Amino acid sequence: MFDIRLTGGKFQDNTFDVIIIGGGPAGLSAAIYSGRARLKTLLIESMAVGGQITLTEYIENYPGFEKPILGQELAEKMEKQARRFGVEIRYAEATSVSLKDDEKRVYLSGEGNGHLKSKVVMLALGTNPRKLGVPGEEEFTGRGVSYCAPCDAPLFKDKHVIVVGGGDTAVEESLFLTKFAKKVSIVHRRNKLRAIPILQERVANNPKIDFIFDSVVRKIRGDAKVESATIENLKDGKDEELKCDGVFIFVGLEPQTALVKNEVKCDEKGFIVTNEDMETNIKGVYAIGDVRVKSLRQVVTAVSDGAIAAMAAYKYVAEDTEFKSALQNLR
């Protein structure tokens, strides 16, 4: 261990000090710190490195950037930094894991991939948008129902769209939608938004945005695409059919823990429980970023998780290596 063996940009075997599953900000941060600590590090990503931030237009609250930075640009900078420290990145899907033994195993999709072995596994699995679970939602997903404004906003130029939710994400996505849509109606089940004050001020001052408080979407209707939504007023119980061209849903997140739900301890919502070093109930297994139990899910907290976990992992691998070396010397 502790050696960087590269051949054509890839390690010669499938045994690593650290395997990171997930290439979002948490995974990239962990890779940077782990690679810099000269741990043999592999990052596995099934889609695009950067995770959710690649779907974010601008990030304005990440320290060190006087002006807002494009989410995609920030992700690219993190990836280049990780590669500079010798981290290998493989684009594949982790299909199963075995974490309870001293030597962890990660199995990948695709022929000939076999399995990877590692002393440490870091779970940077991220989250998916939570669904409303109302009639028409599944049917019209991709035909007017969306969970990503930067992805689909251009499809709604000069259209009327509904945004469901009242938190930071819902408000930020609403503001982005106003660049294309002629009208954005925010539907929120409470009588006021939950977003931070600066975001509330921005939507309140945007003439394209109106609010439907104390209300929920009960049904999404249409023929070939979304044409209207049934909205229930929670105070009087009355329904209103609101004509619209799209429904954007931002009502929370669900952790992507299907891969490990039978291996590590999770809370009642499915988020992974960790200690202050990001370690799970299994030694040598860490959870970082949005997938773990935490009070704030932001890029800055994700990269902090990654750094903490990487340093804890370094100590864990070093102590184990020194212990085995001491045993060898006694023989």
Side-chain angles (χ1 to χ4, degrees), residues 123 125 257 260 264-266 270-274 280 287 291-293:
L123 306 170
L125 302 170
T257 50
V260 297
V264 299
K265 182 180 178 181
C266 300
F271 291 92
I272 300 173
V273 177
T274 69
T280 68
V291 76
R292 79 177 189 90
V293 176

Side-chain angles (χ1 to χ4, degrees), residues 3-16 40 88 90:
D3 59 326
I4 304 293
R5 299 189 298 270
L6 291 174
T7 302
K10 289 192 175 183
F11 293 106
Q12 291 178 335
D13 55 55
N14 282 340
T15 301
F16 298 85
K40 187 181 175 186
E88 180 185 338
R90 290 189 194 177

Side-chain angles (χ1 to χ4, degrees), residues 224-287:
K225 59 182 180 179
V226 170
E227 296 175 0
S228 67
T230 303
I231 298 175
E232 178 190 354
N233 185 296
L234 296 176
K235 285 189 173 181
D236 59 23
K238 293 181 179 179
D239 288 346
E240 175 190 1
E241 196 69 19
L242 182 64
K243 290 187 179 297
C244 63
D245 301 288
V247 179
F248 286 77
I249 300 169
F250 307 106
V251 292
L253 302 169
E254 292 184 344
Q256 298 187 65
T257 50
L259 180 70
V260 297
K261 64 181 181 180
N262 296 323
E263 297 267 345
V264 299
K265 182 180 178 181
C266 300
D267 72 357
E268 66 281 359
K269 294 181 180 179
F271 291 92
I272 300 173
V273 177
T274 69
N275 62 19
E276 63 181 10
D277 288 330
M278 309 300 140
E279 192 171 44
T280 68
N281 57 303
I282 301 174
K283 286 290 185 183
V285 178
Y286 302 82

Side-chain angles (χ1 to χ4, degrees), residues 61-236:
N61 58 352
Y62 191 79
F65 296 93
E66 183 180 357
K67 296 181 179 179
I69 183 172
L70 289 167
Q72 181 67 51
E73 183 182 356
L74 182 58
E76 289 172 357
K77 288 179 179 293
M78 289 181 179
E79 179 184 357
K80 289 178 181 178
Q81 193 173 7
R83 290 186 185 277
R84 183 163 65 86
F85 289 118
V87 174
E88 180 185 338
I89 298 176
R90 290 189 194 177
Y91 290 95
E93 181 181 358
T95 55
S96 64
V97 295
S98 177
L99 303 177
K100 294 181 179 178
D101 296 329
D102 185 56
E103 183 180 75
K104 279 70 176 168
R105 296 190 178 192
V106 178
Y107 296 82
L108 302 181
S109 61
E111 287 187 32
N113 281 324
H115 67 269
L116 310 172
K117 295 180 286 185
S118 180
K119 180 67 180 173
V120 168
V121 170
M122 296 192 189
L123 306 170
L125 302 170
T127 56
N128 281 326
R130 181 177 293 129
K131 296 185 177 181
L132 286 179
V134 300
E137 181 178 10
E138 291 289 343
E139 178 184 353
F140 292 107
T141 295
R143 293 192 292 146
V145 172
S146 176
Y147 307 88
C148 176
C151 305
D152 297 326
L155 301 175
F156 296 90
K157 185 173 175 60
D158 298 326
K159 304 289 187 180
H160 176 203
V161 298
I162 290 173
V163 169
V164 185
D168 288 356
T169 300
V171 171
E172 288 174 336
E173 302 287 87
S174 296
L175 290 166
F176 183 84
L177 282 163
T178 60
K179 295 183 177 183
F180 301 90
K182 67 178 179 182
K183 182 179 180 181
V184 177
S185 298
I186 298 179
V187 178
H188 186 43
R189 65 184 305 113
R190 296 180 175 82
N191 62 1
K192 61 180 180 180
L193 299 174
R194 295 183 294 107
I196 60 174
I198 190 171
L199 293 176
Q200 293 195 41
E201 291 169 9
R202 289 175 183 173
V203 291
N205 294 324
N206 193 308
K208 287 188 174 183
I209 296 176
D210 65 3
F211 305 91
I212 305 174
F213 289 123
D214 298 306
S215 300
V216 294
V217 171
R218 290 301 186 195
K219 190 172 184 177
I220 300 169
R221 300 175 182 270
D223 187 8
K225 59 182 180 179
V226 170
E227 296 175 0
S228 67
T230 303
I231 298 175
E232 178 190 354
N233 185 296
L234 296 176
K235 285 189 173 181
D236 59 23

